[in-house]
Amino acid sequence: MPDYREKLWPNAWAFIVTALVIPASILVLVPISLFAGIVTAVVLYGGCVLLLVLAAPVVRVQNGELIAGPATISTRLLGEATAFEKSEATQERGPRLDARAWLLIRGWVDPVVRVPIVDATDPAPYWIISSRHPTELAAAINESRTANVG
């Protein structure tokens, strides 16, 4: 059985952008106390970093299941997974997106994998999953599908 695991860690720019809470906190609190502003800034930025790290989802293909963040589905219920990069990934996340699709997308991960759901009782027609290695993820899903047929 193919195994695949990827954690969708934030890029460096996500940490840099959230660092804007530092000058904002200091600016707001400096009329009261510079020390309070610095302490608040450090605590807020630490909280932002902690949230970014803890909220990074895991995408895994293991034991005939696709696990994407909080969702799990048997690979027997999946169609042929397809990897998309660059402008095609943008199209999949935007103009071609079906509102019923289940999404695990992160703004800091551009490529996506589209995974059709062949279960007629599932309200989602497909899943869109962000992946830094979309070709490998699609291959792992497709190999697991064929291994689980029968």
Side-chain angles (χ1 to χ4, degrees):
M1 283 262 164
D3 281 350
Y4 177 88
R5 185 182 190 287
E6 173 181 11
K7 187 149 177 118
L8 300 177
W9 296 107
N11 282 349
W13 70 261
F15 295 103
I16 293 168
V17 168
T18 57
L20 291 174
V21 302
I22 295 170
S25 302
I26 293 171
L27 185 64
V28 168
L29 292 173
V30 80
I32 299 168
S33 164
L34 179 60
F35 178 74
I38 292 171
V39 169
T40 302
V42 169
V43 169
L44 284 176
Y45 183 65
C48 290
V49 168
L50 185 64
L51 284 174
L52 283 172
V53 169
L54 292 177
V58 173
V59 177
R60 190 169 61 230
V61 179
Q62 186 177 10
N63 300 326
E65 290 185 326
L66 169 60
I67 302 159
T72 302
I73 190 168
S74 171
T75 55
R76 291 187 324 255
L77 303 174
L78 304 177
E80 183 82 17
T82 309
F84 295 94
E85 297 187 53
K86 299 180 182 170
S87 64
E88 286 296 310
T90 302
Q91 292 293 313
E92 287 297 317
R93 287 189 311 271
R96 290 194 295 238
L97 183 65
D98 186 324
R100 300 169 300 153
W102 187 85
L103 306 174
L104 180 69
I105 55 176
R106 293 297 181 262
W108 49 79
V109 180
D110 183 55
V112 296
V113 175
R114 181 180 172 152
V115 186
I117 308 296
V118 295
D119 180 7
T121 63
D122 196 318
Y126 58 88
W127 287 11
I128 295 286
I129 304 168
S130 290
S131 175
R132 287 193 173 89
H133 311 286
T135 306
E136 291 88 345
L137 174 57
I141 292 167
N142 293 332
E143 288 174 28
S144 182
R145 280 180 50 243
T146 56
N148 278 327
V149 173

